[in-house]
Amino acid sequence: MAKTVSHPAKNNKILFAASEAHPLIKTGGLGDVAGALPAALHDLEQDVRLILPAYREAMQTIGDLKVVSLRMQNDPHPLRLLEGQLPGSGLPVWLVDSPRHFDRAGNPYLGADGRDWPDNAERYALFARAVSAVALDQMGLAWRPDVVHCNDWQTGLVPALLSLAPARPASVFTIHNLAYQGVFTTADYRRLGLPAELWTVEGLEFYGQAAYIKGGLAYADMLNTVSPTYAEEIRTPAFGCQLDGLLRRRGDRLVGILNGADYHEWDPERDRHLPHHYSAASLQGKAANKTALQRELGLPRAPEVPLIGLVGRLVEQKGVDMLLAILPELLQQPVQVVILGSGDPAFETALLTLAGHYPQRCQVNIGFSEGLAHRIEAGADLFLMPSRYEPCGLNQIYSLRYGTLPVVRRTGGLADTVTDWTAGPDRATGFVFDAAAPRALLDTLLRALQLYRDDPAGWRRVIGNAMACDYSWRQSAKAYLDLYQQAMTHASAGKTP
Ligand code: ADP
């Protein structure tokens, strides 16, 4: 009998480039994805390497790093490539080390004043050049990827730079949020010596400036975003952030792949941040987490009062303005509201001021705390995500697993993951509203509170449905394998998009 030929989808070499990855450094959903998807691909027998800037926090978290390359052709800035392992998964990680650009405390994109680092154009051009050099095996690593998977504007230049190489790997670009585009001036572009041939309307130029995200959108062999609904929405002017024309043009290369949840990190049965563990079969631990959360945050211990949680960036995208508009009326009800987040200083101040008026009912925490985020997911009864748009959203997926019923707007990934109560007690997993209007949010919350109060059995059934949802990474990782295959087919056809 003839020997079977090895499967072509196996053992692809994948270079996964991102500007954040949990647990090295994280500001939002991109960090969760870049920390979990490469590991899920690795579990599918792929040869995956993660590449990130060598931020101080990332270097400290890995600890054990060795220098694997000092070289980089054609770049005025000397840099080193460090190699380590992603804690938890053991996945190989390369860190692009240029201390002047990345060895600083705090947020990867923003200074302590909350504004973008003034040298972001230079930082992410440098990172993109390093990623391209690794992708073209110019760093002496003796490893050449089949596919380079880039994520968001910080890596947008990579597919553009690769398009200029005579022989290159396939490229995939994932849009985690179209509104963040990495727009810089022509002066920056020239000063950084970025290739003149990429400065075209079809290329990086964007209304007289350079948009790094366009490098991904225009030049990657395949594009995707992180939910099927958002993949449709971004082709329209309302959601397209002035890039919908380009996305419609590239529509045959654009798909939606829903993010997964990392259930090693987000599972109430073993979550290391929780004082009490629980499962769908035994919810006493959830009640105990609620009491513990009330104690932790100085709220009255009240097991019967519905606790509403929100964790996220406090920006207009997340509907914080709508929440602010309804909070005074909502807080007339017997409820407790717990908020964790940071973002727009005006929203932070308004929320803190409001909470000051209702110390027994509303508790606002400004900052970033992984542990508190988990404890809110576990201790709350309802989780709020009234987003104006939402590429995927992870917190509602975590909420489902924690039996904390999500209240969401029907948009993007929220529409793809939460089923409204009106679908009936066999199918409902939460509460969904349509209009981006405070009244719609308040009405839906009141509807949810009524169910909580009047129909405990119905409430428990919805919890059961929610906790039974499975959004693990395995399925999504397989969809990415298909996407890589398509990208390789297009790349080997030899045409630059
Ligand atoms: P986005 O990527 O738009 O910020 P997602 O819902 O996709 O939103 O992902 C947000 C991720 O960041 C979740 O893991 C959430 O728990 C986390 N997160 C957001 N803000 C905070 C915060 N202030 N403290 C801790 N975790 C946070």
Side-chain angles (χ1 to χ4, degrees), residues 476-490:
S476 303
K478 284 186 183 160
Y480 275 101
L481 283 188
D482 279 348
L483 192 68
Y484 297 156
Q485 212 57 52
Q486 291 174 54
M488 284 187 269
T489 304
H490 288 300

Side-chain angles (χ1 to χ4, degrees), residues 266-296:
W266 293 92
D267 176 359
E269 291 192 53
R270 54 181 159 160
D271 186 328
R272 66 198 148 93
H273 299 289
L274 300 188
H276 308 279
H277 290 144
Y278 63 95
S279 66
S282 146
L283 287 169
Q284 293 96 320
K286 181 160 180 62
N289 279 308
K290 179 171 172 178
T291 308
L293 182 66
Q294 287 167 331
R295 194 179 318 114
E296 177 179 350

Side-chain angles (χ1 to χ4, degrees), residues 20 26-33 176-177 180 226 259 266 310-315 317-318 339-342 365-374 377 383 385 387 389-398 414:
E20 55 181 276
K26 162 176 159 183
T27 70
L30 169 61
D32 284 343
V33 174
H176 297 264
N177 193 331
Y180 296 86
V226 287
N259 280 338
W266 293 92
L310 181 146
V311 178
R313 291 181 295 114
L314 302 175
V315 295
Q317 177 203 340
K318 301 289 179 181
I339 295 169
L340 167 64
S342 62
N365 307 271
I366 301 300
F368 194 93
S369 165
E370 188 73 28
L372 184 55
H374 286 244
E377 282 289 6
F383 195 91
M385 281 182 82
S387 306
Y389 71 93
E390 194 58 77
C392 176
L394 286 167
N395 275 121
Q396 85 282 10
I397 299 180
Y398 304 148
L414 299 173

Side-chain angles (χ1 to χ4, degrees), residues 58-112:
M59 290 193 289
Q60 285 167 350
T61 307
I62 295 187
D64 190 13
L65 286 161
K66 66 172 192 259
V67 179
V68 288
S69 179
L70 287 166
R71 288 186 289 135
M72 181 143 152
Q73 289 172 357
N74 310 327
D75 201 289
H77 303 293
L79 57 80
R80 306 188 306 169
L81 202 64
L82 310 176
E83 186 176 282
Q85 290 191 336
L86 191 69
S89 68
L91 198 84
V93 183
W94 286 320
L95 297 182
V96 175
D97 183 28
S98 172
R100 192 158 67 82
H101 296 97
F102 301 121
D103 185 9
R104 33 182 105 155
N107 185 293
Y109 320 121
L110 312 172

Side-chain angles (χ1 to χ4, degrees), residues 93 157 192 322 344 372 492:
V93 183
L157 290 178
L192 295 170
M322 287 191 267
D344 185 331
L372 184 55
S492 64

